[in-house]
Each structure stands twice: as C-alpha cells, then as structure tokens.
Amino acid sequence: ASICFGTALTLPKYFCRYCENPLALGEDLISKKFVGASGPAFMFSHAMNVVVGPKIGRKLLTGSYVVADVMCSKCGEKLGWKYVETFNLKQRYKEGMFVIEKLKLTKKY
C-alpha cells in the first residue's frame, strides 16, 4: 500500500447545465453579484473547458470593455464572457476574469 501526504485533489464544483462539462472550481469563484444577459451571473478567476471567442467592444452596466464571449468546449453553449480590457482604472480588477451566467451552470459537491 502506498501512503500519500499533503495532496489535496481539488474537484470542479461548477458544470455546464447542458452537458455537465466541468467549468470551474469552487475556489475560483470571486463574486455572485454579477448580471448577465439571462439574469444573475458569477465571476470566476479561472474557467476550464471553455472556448474564448474573438475580442469585441461591449458597453456593460459598469462601463465600456473589450470582452470575449465564452462557450462550453463540449456542447458550444454560450455561457458568458471574459473581460479582456477595461478603460476605467476602478474596473481593472476584472481583466482576465470570467463571468458565467447562473442559468447556464449546475453545481456539484
């Protein structure tokens, strides 16, 4: 028998509602206070198994941004967007973050 010390395997907690593709870890959740096209959305520091579309300028609730749509790599469902660039210094923390709509997610423990 082998003994393993100090290896904590972090399993994905958030999945695509349509195909159950793993999308994010619980520890990557930054905020649940975002709004997407379909309503409530979550901000994540990282997302996995997603396809990031081309960069586009978009006017959002908190200003103008360069964003890229984010789709599930398995089923192609549009999940939300990734912040690429902002022109407002107070919003700079969002750059590189992913916003995924709550309606597109399912959660497992």
Side-chain angles (χ1 to χ4, degrees), residues 3 20 40 45 65-66 74 89 101-102:
I3 300 170
E20 302 208 344
S45 57
Y65 298 87
V66 176
K74 189 170 170 185
L89 289 174
E101 297 183 30
K102 188 177 177 185

Side-chain angles (χ1 to χ4, degrees), residues 6-7 9 24 27-28 34 41 46 55 57 69 77 79 84-85 98 100-101 106 108:
T7 54
L9 180 64
E27 65 209 41
D28 292 334
F34 278 73
H46 297 96
K55 296 179 204 172
D69 287 336
E77 179 67 27
L79 302 168
V84 178
E85 189 180 359
F98 294 83
I100 300 178
E101 297 183 30
T106 185
K108 296 180 182 178

Side-chain angles (χ1 to χ4, degrees), residues 3-18:
I3 300 170
C4 208
F5 292 102
T7 54
L9 180 64
T10 307
L11 296 172
K13 191 171 192 174
Y14 296 93
F15 297 79
C16 176
R17 169 164 304 220
Y18 303 97

